[in-house]
Amino acid sequence: MAVRAVRGATQLEEDSRDHMLERVAEMVTGVMEANGLVVDDFISAIFTATSDLVSEFPAYAARQLGFGEVPLICARELEIERSMPRVVRMMAHVETDLPRADITHVYLHGAAALRRDLTRTRDVPDA
């Protein structure tokens, strides 16, 4: 079994606690589903948020999904001029049999525009 890094990102419409938890949970479960992962496959995860998101820790959404024993940390994203607002990013380290080229990185909502060069992305329309 190999250790792989898998990325995810999502953009929020507004900075509210419920919206943060909903969008981050959607991103985390999307990464899990796209790569056939379960919580026990996760070694650790790093979440970053842009400075305009202050309503909740993104990692709390993962905790609510059962990541209680997985080391998680949150950090502030760099403030770069013209960067996309209201974005949460995740980089998780996982154990998987997937080859590196088969890892699916999940970019949702407006964040789908961030890394089209990296791998497959998907834009989820707002409900």
Side-chain angles (χ1 to χ4, degrees), residues 56-94:
E56 183 57 86
F57 292 100
Y60 184 65
R63 295 272 181 242
Q64 290 185 311
L65 294 172
F67 282 68
E69 296 183 8
V70 178
L72 306 174
I73 193 167
C74 295
R76 178 68 62 211
E77 189 67 35
L78 292 174
E79 294 187 37
I80 304 299
E81 190 176 332
R82 296 179 310 281
S83 62
M84 186 178 289
R86 300 176 315 281
V87 173
V88 174
R89 292 172 174 86
M90 176 186 76
M91 182 168 64
H93 301 94
V94 300

Side-chain angles (χ1 to χ4, degrees), residues 5 32 38 41 47 49 52 95 103 112-113 125:
M32 294 172 73
V38 296
D41 296 327
F47 293 88
D52 49 6
E95 292 180 317
I103 295 291

